[in-house]
């Protein structure tokens, strides 16, 4: 019997995509042991935006959460999403932060690190892979899927081979925007499976309404694992529903390893949480619709909703259509980066500036300048001399991996936050999110010792992946 494995995303990507990562761990704990018995290949429970969100919005310590997951998930592998040199933040961190983070991640219970770089710059994930190997973790390396003249099947297959070359234990086609069509998935999976012998995972989002069909064709072409979420936190901008894919594939003769009775218990647990989120407005019915604009503009759903709120703040919502049209132009100017954190925010904001200021690149964000300077890594296509001159003048972009220019951060970080440190992991939280972590530590301190401090959230805004 043919086998297909499932990774469950309900408590990470599912809730991140539908309710902006606002599910407290207390809502998850009662169902974790049941989830452990469903027969999932792995459960994605950590990383992505959950780390930041735990401290910023939920007053939770992400490391304590990870240990809680590990305690309850006794047999299922635990998986996380890791942004390579960006760790779980929005910029490039030095190697000591990457290594320290990977070490603690594995020590606290993660088995599989799904590692990606927003630009598919392999140099930006090498340190993470090295650290994962050193501490005994599984490196699942990503191909960030996107559409552009340079992102051909040959490009992606060559990328998969390079990922294998730097030590991938498995490969994931990460379609963060739901752009992967059933036909493209069939071809891409077929070619990658021909080229390399590693386990292949397909990760997609339902926003454009194609992901379930895409998975079916990907499975037919030989992919080994698909990512799905429990029905109440599936579809819309989340993943296809586990129950639907499991039934469909079972009928086609696949052994899914899943226990349908257990899946129903899981769905019954999450349904009231979905209803509560709809009632409170946290789950906006808009994210549940098939997003036809996505098919046209090829931008992730989360990026559009982010942009709407940005334009509202600037009192420029009437410019929405124009900004949508500007996004692909900015993306082309910047060498066709895949639109995923952090490049999606950077391109979206620059496109908005170009429209609102009335002149392209009259106002240039610091992020766009750093991007053109090469501070995020190598772009898929080169940026033209003309655009470079327009954005950074006579400056020469760097050609080395950006992290090689950074000095170690942890020794200073440890000193700066010594007053509040209760565990070694706190230094890493602080190194990634100085303001958010400090505010959380103050809150934690207040809870323990009753000293009144005001919690204010700073640092970069939270973005969906
Ligand atoms: Co995703």
């Amino acid at each position: 019997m043919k086998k297909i494995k499932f990774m469950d995303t309900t408590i990470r990507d599912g809730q991140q995509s539908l309710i902006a990562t606002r599910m407290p761990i207390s809502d998850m704990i009662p169902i974790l042991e049941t989830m452990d018995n469903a027969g999932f290949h792995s459960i994605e429970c950590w990383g992505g935006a959950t780390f930041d969100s735990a401290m910023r919005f939920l007053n939770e310590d992400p490391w304590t959460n990870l240990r809680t997951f590990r305690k309850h998930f006794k047999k299922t592998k635990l998986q996380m999403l890791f942004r390579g040199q960006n760790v779980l933040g929005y910029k490039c961190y030095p190697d000591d932060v990457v290594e320290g983070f990977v070490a603690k991640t594995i020590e606290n219970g993660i088995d599989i690190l799904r590692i990606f770089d927003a630009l598919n710059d392999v140099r930006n994930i090498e340190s993470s892979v090295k650290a994962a190997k050193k501490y005994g973790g599984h490196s699942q390396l990503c191909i960030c899927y996107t559409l552009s003249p340079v992102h051909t099947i040959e490009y992606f297959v060559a990328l998969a081979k390079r990922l294998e070359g730097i030590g991938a234990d498995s490969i994931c086609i990460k379609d963060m925007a739901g752009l992967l069509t059933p036909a493209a998935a069939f071809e891409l999976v077929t070619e990658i499976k021909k080229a390399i012998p590693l386990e292949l995972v397909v990760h997609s989002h339902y926003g454009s309404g194609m992901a379930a069909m895409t998975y079916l064709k990907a499975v037919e072409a030989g992919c080994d694992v698909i990512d799905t979420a429990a029905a109440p936190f599936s579809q819309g901008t989340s993943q296809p529903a586990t129950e639907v894919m499991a039934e469909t594939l079972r009928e086609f003769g696949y052994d899914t390893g899943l226990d349908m009775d257990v899946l129903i218990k899981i769905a019954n647990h999450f349904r009231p949480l979905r209803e509560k989120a709809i009632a409170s407005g946290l789950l906006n019915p808009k994210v549940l619709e098939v997003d036809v604009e996505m098919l046209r503009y090829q931008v992730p759903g989360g990026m559009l909703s982010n942009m709407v709120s940005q334009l509202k703040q600037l009192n420029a919502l009437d410019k929405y259509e124009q900004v949508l049209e500007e996004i692909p132009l900015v993306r082309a100017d910047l060498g066709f980066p895949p639109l995923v954190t952090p490049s999606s925010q950077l391109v979206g904001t620059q496109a908005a500036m170009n429209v609102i200021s009335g002149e392209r690149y009259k106002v240039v964000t610091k992020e766009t300048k750093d991007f053109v300077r090469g501070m995020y890594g190598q772009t898929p296509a080169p940026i033209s001399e003309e655009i470079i001159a327009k954005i950074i003048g006579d400056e020469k972009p760097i050609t080395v991996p950006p992290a090689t220019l950074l000095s170690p951060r942890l020794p200073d970080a440890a000193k700066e936050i010594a007053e509040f440190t209760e565990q070694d992991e706190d230094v890493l939280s602080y190194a990634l999110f100085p303001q958010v972590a400090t505010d959380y530590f103050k809150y934690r301190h207040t809870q323990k010792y009753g000293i009144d401090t005001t919690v204010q959230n700073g640092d970069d805004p939270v973005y969906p992946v």
Side-chain angles (χ1 to χ4, degrees):
M1 207 177 190
K2 297 166 284 184
K3 264 195 95 95
I4 179 71
K5 300 178 192 176
F6 283 69
M7 178 173 91
D8 185 83
T9 66
T10 314
I11 57 178
R12 207 289 293 174
D13 209 354
Q15 61 112 354
Q16 179 174 325
S17 299
L18 295 188
I19 59 168
T21 332
R22 299 297 204 277
M23 190 183 286
I25 190 152
S26 53
D27 280 352
M28 305 173 189
I29 288 173
I31 199 65
L32 299 182
E33 275 163 29
T34 308
M35 291 174 79
D36 196 29
N37 289 320
F40 297 122
H41 166 64
S42 60
I43 292 177
E44 189 187 44
C45 59
W46 210 64
T50 65
F51 190 90
D52 179 0
S53 186
M55 292 188 289
R56 189 189 297 255
F57 300 115
L58 303 168
N59 286 322
E60 294 172 0
D61 172 40
W63 299 99
T64 306
N65 287 356
L66 176 52
R67 290 188 287 268
T68 302
F69 290 135
R70 187 68 280 175
K71 195 177 86 197
H72 290 279
F73 292 127
K74 294 186 176 69
K75 46 192 175 192
T76 314
K77 289 194 191 93
L78 298 191
Q79 190 152 349
M80 75 172 295
L81 182 67
F82 192 82
R83 300 181 186 136
Q85 209 71 38
N86 297 343
V87 190
L88 294 178
Y90 309 111
K91 59 174 194 186
C92 191
Y93 295 93
D95 281 341
D96 71 325
V97 175
V98 173
E99 181 176 344
F101 205 94
V102 169
K104 283 294 174 190
T105 288
I106 294 168
E107 188 187 309
N108 282 287
I110 288 291
D111 300 295
I112 303 174
L113 289 97
R114 176 177 289 175
I115 307 167
F116 77 96
D117 176 64
L119 296 175
N120 285 320
D121 184 344
V122 173
R123 304 172 310 169
N124 282 344
I125 56 182
E126 269 171 322
S127 300
S128 315
V129 178
K130 225 186 268 169
K133 293 246 175 277
K134 183 169 167 187
Y135 297 98
H138 173 117
S139 299
Q140 182 172 103
L141 306 188
C142 291
I143 292 168
C144 288
Y145 183 76
T146 190
L147 301 169
S148 89
V150 290
H151 291 94
T152 58
I153 293 277
E154 294 71 33
Y155 172 96
F156 288 126
V157 171
L159 177 60
K161 281 188 183 157
R162 288 187 67 198
L163 296 175
E164 184 196 15
I166 64 161
D169 296 307
S170 60
I171 300 283
C172 172
I173 300 173
K174 178 174 162 63
D175 173 28
M176 52 280 167
L179 300 173
L180 186 62
T181 63
F186 190 86
E187 195 186 355
L188 189 55
V189 169
T190 304
E191 294 305 317
I192 292 176
K193 285 303 273 186
K194 250 194 256 169
I196 55 169
L198 297 176
E199 192 162 82
L200 182 61
V201 185
V202 175
H203 173 88
S204 187
H205 286 257
Y206 207 84
S208 60
M210 291 186 294
M213 295 184 283
T214 298
Y215 280 0
L216 182 59
K217 294 307 284 183
V219 171
E220 280 177 16
C223 97
D224 304 283
V225 187
I226 52 173
D227 289 1
T228 57
F233 281 89
S234 73
Q235 302 201 316
T237 48
S238 173
Q239 274 76 53
T242 309
E243 305 83 342
V244 175
M245 291 312 306
E247 260 315 281
T248 305
L249 291 168
R250 188 189 59 76
E251 265 204 2
F252 277 119
Y254 287 88
D255 173 12
T256 65
L258 294 175
D259 183 330
M260 194 49 93
D261 292 334
V262 177
L263 292 185
I264 288 168
K265 279 188 201 150
I266 297 169
N268 286 343
H269 170 81
F270 285 107
R271 192 168 307 105
L273 296 175
R274 171 197 171 97
E275 280 157 14
K276 197 173 82 181
I278 291 177
S280 70
L282 190 55
L283 175 49
N284 183 344
K286 211 176 138 80
V287 304
L288 300 173
E289 273 172 40
V290 169
D291 189 343
V292 286
E293 271 175 351
M294 228 160 95
L295 292 174
R296 184 167 155 218
Y297 294 105
Q298 301 169 357
V299 298
M303 185 176 161
L304 290 182
S305 52
N306 233 31
M307 211 175 62
V308 168
S309 59
Q310 250 180 11
L311 289 176
K312 254 189 207 156
Q313 279 171 19
L314 296 166
N315 216 359
L317 203 53
D318 57 313
K319 303 272 197 323
Y320 181 68
E321 283 292 320
Q322 270 172 281
V323 176
L324 274 184
E325 276 160 30
E326 177 67 9
I327 286 173
L329 304 178
V330 171
R331 186 171 168 245
D333 288 344
L334 297 183
F336 296 108
L339 296 177
V340 62
T341 303
S343 52
S344 50
Q345 292 79 30
L346 184 151
V347 169
T349 306
Q350 189 57 52
M353 295 295 169
N354 285 1
V355 170
I356 291 166
S357 70
E359 187 189 327
R360 307 191 72 224
Y361 305 110
K362 185 176 162 194
V363 182
V364 180
T365 65
K366 180 185 178 293
E367 287 77 17
T368 305
K369 281 187 189 161
D370 282 347
F371 188 87
V372 172
R373 285 183 184 120
M375 300 309 288
Y376 288 77
Q378 199 170 37
T379 51
I383 303 175
S384 74
E385 295 290 330
E386 190 199 335
I387 292 290
I388 293 175
K390 206 175 228 174
I391 290 174
I392 56 169
D394 293 336
E395 263 183 74
K396 281 269 160 287
I398 63 163
T399 51
V400 294
T404 58
L405 302 174
L406 303 173
S407 16
R409 171 76 183 115
L410 292 183
D412 282 348
K415 272 184 224 147
E416 287 162 27
I417 201 64
E419 186 191 347
F420 291 109
T421 309
E422 292 184 5
Q423 53 180 347
D424 294 346
E425 288 83 350
D426 290 344
V427 176
L428 295 160
S429 305
Y430 173 76
L432 291 190
F433 299 105
Q435 192 61 53
V436 169
T438 305
D439 290 341
Y440 167 70
F441 296 154
K442 283 183 184 165
Y443 164 85
R444 185 174 67 184
H445 197 264
T446 308
Q447 292 299 98
K448 263 195 186 159
Y449 307 105
I451 301 159
D452 185 33
T453 50
T454 314
V455 174
Q456 282 169 349
N457 291 318
D459 294 338
D460 319 68
V462 160
Y463 298 121
V465 171

